[in-house]
Amino acid sequence: MRAISSMATRHVLADLGAAAVAAGLPAVELESVGGVDATKRVAGGEQFDLVFLAQGALQRLAGDGHVEAGSVTPLMLSQVAVAVPSGSDAPATHDGADAFPDAAGLRAALKQAGRIGYSTGPSGVALVKMIDGWGLGEELGERLVQARPGIPVARSLAEGEVDLGFQQLSELVGQPGVRILGVLPADCAIDTVFGGAVASASGDRDGALDVLRFLASEAAAPIITAHSFAPVAS
């Protein structure tokens, strides 16, 4: 059974897949790429059984008939966090708290930052939209650096390409060369729901549905939490 996902969920899906096999369900061969590329490949008719993407992307694919609309299932919630290179003298470290006290603190940090890294996925889109809404888009200009598809912001931070990075918390935790400041404060939080769906081209629809149901079950919740996501209440 073949599946495709965005990079944001690759680690948690690997562990969830192993748990599904242990529960007697079919093994899933997972390929993780940039979310934009994954969407294009599914829309282009490439054969997959399961598709794991941000909920909005899945809904668009369902609207175009590329995944079964009735199978679209929210699985996990991801928060966007802020990180710096590990050698930075930024004052905070991640302890489950917010990176800044409020949106004003984030705006001040953006103005003071050198190069600002953000992802190609939905969180990056939301960040740029928020920055534009604050009227900072022109001021920040070329200091805003979008990561290449499939390249995590953590790598850009570790390699010194950016000085302040915004990425899903799950993609920053445990990555070498970065220090997490915290998640975005509540008044400017960017949360993304990731889900799964059965591809319309699936050759094993029933098996894919069984796997998807397991991933949405209470048995999967501890694995999801261990990867710094939050389970989505059914």
Side-chain angles (χ1 to χ4, degrees):
M1 184 176 298
R2 292 188 70 209
I4 192 167
S5 80
S6 59
M7 299 295 287
T9 55
R10 62 195 184 281
H11 298 305
V12 64
L13 287 174
D15 285 353
L16 287 169
V21 169
L25 294 167
V28 176
E29 179 187 344
L30 177 68
E31 181 180 358
S32 297
V33 298
V36 174
D37 288 340
T39 300
K40 288 180 179 178
R41 288 172 62 180
V42 175
E46 189 169 344
Q47 196 278 323
F48 294 102
D49 297 288
L50 286 163
V51 181
F52 300 101
L53 291 168
Q55 196 74 351
L58 287 176
Q59 295 290 359
R60 289 189 291 274
L61 287 171
D64 292 334
H66 301 299
V67 301
E68 295 187 9
S71 73
V72 176
T73 305
L75 298 174
M76 60 195 79
L77 175 71
S78 178
Q79 294 178 291
V80 168
V82 189
V84 294
S86 56
S88 170
D89 59 0
T93 56
H94 175 60
D95 59 2
D98 294 344
F100 307 102
D102 52 27
L106 172 58
R107 288 195 292 272
L110 288 168
K111 291 179 179 181
Q112 294 169 5
R115 294 157 297 177
I116 302 160
Y118 66 100
S119 75
T120 58
S123 65
V125 173
L127 178 70
V128 172
K129 182 177 180 181
M130 185 166 65
I131 287 171
D132 287 341
W134 288 338
L136 294 178
E138 185 174 347
E139 178 180 344
L140 298 180
E142 293 184 356
R143 286 191 282 155
L144 289 170
V145 180
Q146 186 179 48
R148 298 181 298 278
I151 303 299
V153 173
R155 186 190 300 180
S156 299
L157 285 164
E159 294 179 354
E161 295 178 0
V162 297
D163 308 296
L164 190 69
F166 295 80
Q167 182 74 308
Q168 310 287 347
L169 176 61
S170 58
E171 291 197 71
L172 291 170
V173 170
Q175 296 303 305
V178 306
R179 187 155 59 89
I180 300 172
L181 304 184
V183 297
L184 293 180
D187 59 350
C188 60
I190 298 174
D191 296 336
T192 301
V193 174
F194 290 95
V198 177
S200 300
S202 174
D204 186 4
R205 179 180 180 275
D206 290 342
L209 279 172
D210 286 342
V211 171
L212 192 55
R213 291 190 189 103
F214 175 83
L215 301 189
S217 71
E218 291 184 3
I223 298 172
I224 291 171
T225 302
H227 282 270
S228 300
F229 289 93
V232 177
S234 56

